[in-house]
Amino acid sequence: MTTAAAGIETVAPRRRDRWPPLVPLAIVALLVLCGLFAPWLAPRSPVEGSLGERLVAPFWMDGAKPGHPLGTDRHGRDTLSRLIHGARISIAVSVVGITLTGAAGVFIGLLAGFFGGWVDTLLMRLVDISLSLPGILIAVLLSVVFEPSFTNVIVVVVFLLWPSYARLTRGETLGLKQQDFVALARVAGCGSLTIMFRHIVPNLAPSILVLATLHVGYVIVLEAALSFLGVGIPPPTPSWGVMVADGRGLIEQAWWVSILPGIAILVTVLSLNILGDWVRDRLDPKLRQV
Amino acid sequence: MQRYVVGRLVQSLVSMFVVSLVVFALVRLSGDPIQIMAPPEASQADIAMMRAYLGLDRPWAVQYWTFISHAVRGDFGTSVRFRRPAMELIAERYGATLELGGLAVFIVIAVALPVGVYAAVRRGSALDYTARTLAALGQAVPPFWLGLLLVLVFGVMLRLLPTSGRGTPLHVLLPGITLGWFAVAGLMRLTRSSMLDVLGSEYVKLARIKGLPERTVIWKHAFKNAALPVVTFAALLFVALLNGSIIVETVFGWPGLGLLVIEAVDSRDYPIVQAVVMCLSAMYIGVNLLVDVLYAYLNPKIRYAS
Amino acid sequence: MTTRSIERRTFLKRTATAAVAVLGAPLLSARAAAQGDRLVVAVGQWGTETPFAWRHVQAEKPLWDCVYDPLIMRDPKTFEYRPGLATEWKPSNEMRTWTFKLRSGVKFHEGFGELTAEDVKFTVEQSFKPDSLGGSAYFFRNHVDRIETPDKLTVVMHFKSRQWIVPSLFTQYVGYQNTISKKYFESVGEQKAAAHPIGTGPFRHVEGKQGDYHRFEAVPGHWRKTPAFKELVIRRIAEPATRLSGLRTGEIDIAQVFGDYLTQAQKAGLRIHETPNAAQYWVILTGQTTPDREDYCPACPWAGDPKDARSLDNARKVRLALNLAVNKKAIYSGLWKDRGGDTPYSYYYYPFHRGHSADWKVPPYDPERAKKLLAEAGHAGGFEVRVNPYVQLVAQDGPDVMEAVALDWEKLGIKVKRVPEATSSFGPKGRLRKTNKTFSVYGSPPFDEPVAGWERVIHSKGAFNLLLDGAYDEEIDATMREFDTERRAKLTQALGQKLYDGYHGVMLGMKSLTWALGKKVNTWSPLAYVPAETNYDSVS
């Protein structure tokens, strides 16, 4: 794949492009806020409910009840509170999952790209093997061997995503290690590890960051899929995925149970992707391939 | 080049071997099929007898050897649940999954490619923004949810399409769309960015200066160069869709491999799980191998590298 | 594939009618026998899908029962025995020998001749095979001495010891012994016979795809009654929402619905068919077992130490508290949609069983008293429990019910940890008493006599532990050994009372099972007490 160095946009970024798109930024900020302050923000407990208040409608519909602005779910639990706490879980899963994935993937990609040779071959075949195993199936098998839990979900996320980071890092490293600053570092007497971590990694940061931002949305949707199959976060913890899966038989009767968290996922992922695009455009237009 | 190909081939075989070990171990760790199938009245002695009969009481190493020595001949054992050869069941079902995956790939390519190309060409236009928004939407909606929604709208409310099962061409439409939806976004973005890069290149500038019609510039010159990563993506996409079919088949009751294997996990039907995973992995590794060889052939740098 | 797609299309355009009555049930509808057509039934799962008596368990019944006739049928209202393929069944030799006389002139499908005693003998003898794991195979393998066929229509079974339970194994709905054709089995071999079974039933198998669907055709002039629908298709659709969609569009005519799906079905204008009092629900409080089992937990507040009378007494208080803490009326209206309630019962002791007592009331909702009892037992601060909210064969709304119970318990200060695990892995753990003290919601099917069930599920040697193990072994054994029906009934009642008084489970109530019927279905005679209805021949 040729990279045309010249001829890409030479127009300087306009003034307002220096600022990230505001609406998506606000949404993500709201998300983070919910995640951090959920217990104080949520009007009620996300896990307590009573059958007498099942499937109460949101405030603008008939049958609404005070105290449940966005209605209740199958067990009478408050939707709004669950959405707020769900943000927390979704963030936790994405942040923890992607951090671990990034760490593992970058490390392996570094080794492969930097040392080359049989190390590279071995690690890339590892990537192949990992990619060839059907992820969802592994997730189900794992949840059978170990109980469904937050940890299980993280393991699945790492398993599914680390190859992208490994490949990207390897590709970039291959290019970077030819550059002058690496040669200089060697001449200066730096060991391989130092070169890798102090010199190469910082240069990788932009692309990794972009990839990570784009993956957050993917992880949230993945968690929803796992919950649908029954191998996600165990009840009664509310995650948006669990909420969508829970209400799936009720779309006509009580649409808010499933649709509201679905909208939450949609808006969040959209915002994250737009922000990710902006980050990428700002950092280096050449990275558009990522 | 020869050495490269042979080397890659050997690596692929080793990869398959590792895959077989992983799936064997995972499946055995997940539990005992006899315990699940045995009815209330079976005593522990009965269950032990049954296990011995099926060879499940032998040490793992022995079981693995049996498994792998038969697998290379295409014999994946007999399904514990259906009491028929696993390969036979797969042969019955894979057609349905191929049908589903095939339609999904067709939808993905038919929609994502042209939209991606034109979004790149008319960068910054309304089309571009719409396309990117739709792409983002596509990646933000959980597939199973979309599936149920589609069934509700097109099946129940509008009565246009059947709600489940397989039979007429109409039956495959909703599942196919659900399956392909997620990938459309990814391919669209990739196409768009590939095209953007190529469109800015000297090569394309030259073609324009030559006065070639825009259409030719876009498709004959720009796209062909942008196509390689896209083709790679599409090939791997097909295999990825096979994985995604697990969820879609569950929602729609589509009698394909995905449904078969999920239920095999549930009933600890080792032979089927092993067979399906091995087949899917083989396909993926095989496609990868082909793509790598193709790349090597096209790229002189690799062709002559050690 | 093409044939099927054409048929699917035409099916969608037709309307089905016509009526048939099953033995003992009323109704030949006025709109009888119009264009007898295709009836489509959707079930969620059908087990291992094997049609053979010596291999299958409850799960396969909804699929294959239509192809067979049972030896002994049941009255749909009273559940009593009625003649089926067997016209009489008599014990002799102090119940060591059972003689069955068969109906004459019953034909197997596809011209494989008439039913003879040889076929019954052949069917039962398949249970002797070491890999036969079917519902009653174990019993026959261990207890049958020999089977004789003195003439074409008489089967004589000799057992190694006295057995009163024999007829039960051949009955409709409860028994598994569907008679197959020896000639057919021997001529095509087991694999082919499994893929395309032959029986004497009101429907015959035409074709099918494992795991997907099976198609049957009505047998004209069947000795019971010719089914109203010419064709029967049984499809497997795991997702309840999808089944409901199919019902609403008319692609499916009959499917089981529960909870919110039931409400949606009604809103969509579908009629509901109800089997009253089909299932008893209770929460299994795991941990009450024998010392040799991993689940044995004398320290658990609800189990107690068998060597310490005070501990046992406190444990009983705790169990009663767990019972009183649950708001059952909320479950009845919120989750069961009032299809079920607090009919008095004891575990596996249905109202139709002899000796059933109306005193066995479901404990009321009294959280205050529950708190007091917990305090008295020394657990005012609560304790931790594990629950598995899984879908059980009969209790398909298990997850919702378990969550409701968990929420009620949490109001008492009990910490509930939800540990979801599917039947496939949890079931075997239950058998091995290795669940790590995890509770679950259970829905029971009826047995011919409560003690037949108790022997399997409340006995330390039984395959399951669905209430407790060990405490009543002697009583169960004594009851099983009692061959006089009257005395046995008395013993059964006494034990039923003890089980009730011990509050060994958290009793929730008795529930009806409900099916939604598409517009093509006019009538379907309901059967009492049957969780897995299979009498599609009586749909019209």
Side-chain angles (χ1 to χ4, degrees), chain A residues 46 82 102 110 133 146 203 271 288:
Chain A
R82 281 174 74 81
L110 259 182
L133 289 168
F146 312 103
N203 283 289
S271 310
R288 251 180 274 121

Side-chain angles (χ1 to χ4, degrees), chain B residues 4 6 9 31 49 53 60 67 78 93 112 127 137-138 160 162 165 210 224 229 233 235 247 253 268 276:
Chain B
Y4 180 74
V6 170
L9 203 61
M49 191 161 43
Y53 186 81
W60 278 22
F67 161 58
T78 311
R93 301 289 201 106
L127 173 67
L137 274 177
L160 281 176
K210 272 163 75 174
K224 252 171 65 175
F233 183 94
I247 290 188
R268 310 290 183 278
V276 171

Side-chain angles (χ1 to χ4, degrees), chain A residues 47-52 54-55 74-75 77 143-144 147-148 228 230 234-236 248-254, chain C residues 239 241 248 260-261 263-264 267 330-331 334-335 337 386 389 399-400 403-404 407 410-411 417-420 425:
Chain A
V47 298
E48 279 170 19
S50 72
L51 287 178
R54 287 186 94 229
L55 301 180
R74 289 195 343 230
H75 292 282
R77 299 181 289 216
S143 81
V144 167
E147 287 166 1
F228 169 75
R248 70 180 187 259
L250 297 165
I251 295 184
E252 263 187 290
Q253 188 183 353
Chain C
E239 180 69 27
R248 293 171 63 184
D260 292 312
Y261 297 115
T263 317
Q264 286 175 38
K267 277 213 189 103
I331 293 180
L335 295 179
K337 312 294 178 193
R386 287 164 56 100
D400 279 349
E403 184 62 28
L407 289 173
E410 280 176 337
K411 296 190 179 94
K417 183 160 183 247
R418 285 90 165 155
V419 187
S425 44

Side-chain angles (χ1 to χ4, degrees), chain C residues 6-28:
Chain C
I6 293 177
E7 283 168 337
R8 271 207 97 88
R9 290 230 125 127
T10 41
F11 149 68
L12 281 172
K13 288 178 193 140
R14 286 196 210 152
T15 29
T17 49
V20 167
V22 85
L23 204 67
L27 350 159
L28 259 182

Side-chain angles (χ1 to χ4, degrees), chain C residues 400-475:
Chain C
D400 279 349
V401 175
M402 189 77 252
E403 184 62 28
V405 171
L407 289 173
D408 280 339
W409 284 349
E410 280 176 337
K411 296 190 179 94
L412 274 193
I414 296 175
K415 289 171 249 347
V416 181
K417 183 160 183 247
R418 285 90 165 155
V419 187
E421 200 178 344
T423 316
S424 44
S425 44
F426 190 68
K429 286 188 182 161
R431 280 184 224 235
L432 296 171
R433 281 75 162 174
K434 257 169 111 163
T435 65
N436 197 1
K437 277 81 78 182
T438 306
F439 302 167
S440 56
V441 168
Y442 176 69
S444 72
F447 288 87
D448 266 328
E449 289 197 24
V451 69
W454 293 338
E455 191 199 27
R456 294 171 189 179
V457 311
I458 306 183
H459 195 287
S460 54
K461 288 216 189 68
F464 288 115
N465 176 4
L466 296 176
L467 188 64
L468 79 160
D469 261 342
Y472 302 105
D473 277 5
E474 276 155 31
E475 274 125 314

